[in-house]
């Protein structure tokens, strides 16, 4: 069973940084490809970044490439999203998700397990 809990969100000024964490309280974290998605007010949820089971393969949305870094520590059952040079348009609820698919996957429909999300607000 995969149970995902995000943390690390908050309020930050534009240009600042935050690091989000996603903890899986289950026992099979290392078996899953993991992803981060976000949903801004009035908008559809969108893909942010994904990482394969080993951490050896990552993929980013163009909007965050070069500013965000996804990583994972399988020994701690935790995935991270380091967010630098934050912009007001990064304001959203950020959710982590898990899929059994091999390799990174950007498709929301392929992720079976989801966390509740953590709010990130970037002020201008």
């Amino acid at each position: 069973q995969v149970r995902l809990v995000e943390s690390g969100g908050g309020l930050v000024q534009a240009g600042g940084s935050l690091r989000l964490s996603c903890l899986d309280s289950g026992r099979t974290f290392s078996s899953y490809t993991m992803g981060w998605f976000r949903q801004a007010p009035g908008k559809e949820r969108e893909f942010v970044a994904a990482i394969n089971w080993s951490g050896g393969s990552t993929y980013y949305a163009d909007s965050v490439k070069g500013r965000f870094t996804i990583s994972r520590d399988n020994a701690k059952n935790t995935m991270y999203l380091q967010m630098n040079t934050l912009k007001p348009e990064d304001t959203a609820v950020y959710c982590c998700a898990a899929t059994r698919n091999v390799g990174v996957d950007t498709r929301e429909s392929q992720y079976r397990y989801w966390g509740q999300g953590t709010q990130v607000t970037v002020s201008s």
Side-chain angles (χ1 to χ4, degrees):
Q1 183 72 19
V2 177
R3 299 175 182 173
L4 305 175
V5 179
E6 302 93 340
S7 62
L11 173 64
V12 64
Q13 289 187 333
S17 299
L18 283 174
R19 188 175 81 154
L20 305 183
S21 298
C22 173
L23 173 66
D24 174 21
S25 59
R27 299 181 179 181
T28 58
F29 177 75
S30 62
S31 301
Y32 290 84
T33 286
M34 300 295 295
W36 285 100
F37 293 79
R38 67 186 182 186
Q39 186 167 20
K43 296 185 177 182
E44 293 187 352
R45 187 158 55 188
E46 65 175 1
F47 168 79
V48 176
I51 188 167
N52 76 330
W53 70 273
S54 69
S57 180
T58 60
Y59 191 82
Y60 298 90
D62 287 344
S63 59
V64 307
K65 198 173 298 182
R67 299 188 298 122
F68 290 11
T69 302
I70 190 171
S71 62
R72 67 190 296 163
D73 185 339
N74 286 343
K76 296 182 178 179
N77 283 7
T78 303
M79 173 179 66
Y80 304 97
L81 185 68
Q82 177 67 43
M83 306 185 295
N84 298 328
T85 319
L86 282 161
K87 305 175 181 179
E89 50 264 43
D90 294 319
T91 294
V93 174
Y94 285 71
C95 293
C96 62
T99 175
R100 281 281 195 184
N101 290 1
V102 176
V104 294
D105 202 316
T106 66
R107 299 169 294 173
E108 178 181 342
S109 63
Q110 298 301 303
Y111 286 80
R112 179 176 180 182
Y113 302 101
W114 291 81
Q116 292 298 309
T118 185
Q119 176 70 47
V120 171
T121 303
V122 184
S123 63
S124 57

